Amino acid sequence: MSAADITTGWLQTSPTLGIVVSLAVIVGTRTYLGNDAFNEWGWRNSVLISFLLVMMAIYIRLQLGETPIFQEMKARGGMVRNPWREAFLSSNIKFILVAIVVLIGQGVVWYSGQFWALYFLQTVKKLDVLTSSYIVGAALLIASPTLILFGWLSDIIGRKPVILGECSWPP
């Protein structure tokens, strides 16, 4: 398995590892400050840290160059004047709408699962915030390699069979 074969999977680890990082920031801040100080004012630190991370991400993105394929396409004049019109006011709209429905469905299920797990552990099982955060964070770290595996698989057999298989699981 080469690095090029697992590009799709690495891309999908971003939201998973983003939640892990957010849980780590919250756990670290809560542990350092204590529950009372965190609940009173310390939660703002997590918001400030995430704001700084977003600013760093924007800076990094602005420093990146375009891919050689995009540069070549642009040099040949292969760019459309109005990509929004090309996507939404053409025959492409049916593909856009299908993609939106599929991706919204996946996103809602995935994010709901992660946050429902935290909610369930804290409210139903009555675990404290730190313990439930450790459990969900560990589960996400353990699950992350499967994203790379299924990304690699989708590069080999195609996106559609993997997505349809995911949407129909469990049987």
Side-chain angles (χ1 to χ4, degrees):
M1 184 177 342
S2 70
D5 291 336
I6 58 175
T7 303
T8 303
W10 280 108
L11 182 64
Q12 298 305 314
T13 62
S14 299
T16 304
L17 297 178
I19 292 176
V20 171
V21 170
S22 70
L23 288 171
V25 167
I26 290 170
V27 165
T29 307
R30 188 179 285 271
T31 301
Y32 181 75
L33 296 176
N35 283 335
D36 293 336
F38 181 86
N39 290 336
E40 187 176 326
W41 60 270
W43 61 270
R44 291 179 180 96
N45 291 342
S46 301
V47 174
L48 291 174
I49 290 170
S50 67
F51 177 76
L52 292 174
L53 289 173
V54 167
M55 291 298 108
M56 284 174 41
I58 290 171
Y59 175 77
I60 290 169
R61 175 59 187 106
L62 291 174
Q63 301 306 308
L64 293 175
E66 295 296 346
T67 64
I69 294 171
F70 180 81
Q71 289 175 345
E72 180 184 325
M73 187 174 72
K74 189 174 180 182
R76 285 184 304 175
M79 304 293 296
V80 295
R81 294 183 106 185
N82 188 338
W84 289 94
R85 186 178 323 141
E86 178 77 18
F88 294 104
L89 298 177
S90 70
S91 63
N92 293 332
I93 190 67
K94 61 184 173 190
F95 299 115
I96 299 287
L97 293 175
V98 167
I100 287 172
V101 169
V102 169
L103 292 176
I104 286 176
Q106 286 180 320
V108 166
V109 168
W110 190 86
Y111 281 106
S112 296
Q114 308 321 308
F115 295 111
W116 174 255
L118 272 174
Y119 175 80
F120 176 81
L121 290 172
Q122 291 171 11
T123 58
V124 176
K125 291 300 183 181
K126 305 292 185 207
L127 292 177
D128 62 282
V129 173
L130 293 178
T131 303
S132 61
S133 296
Y134 283 130
I135 291 170
V136 170
L140 290 172
L141 284 175
I142 291 168
S144 288
T146 65
L147 297 170
I148 297 166
L149 171 70
F150 285 109
W152 169 75
L153 188 61
S154 76
D155 286 340
I156 292 173
I157 66 171
R159 311 287 186 251
K160 189 174 180 179
V162 173
I163 290 173
L164 291 176
E166 168 201 341
C167 290
S168 63
W169 185 262

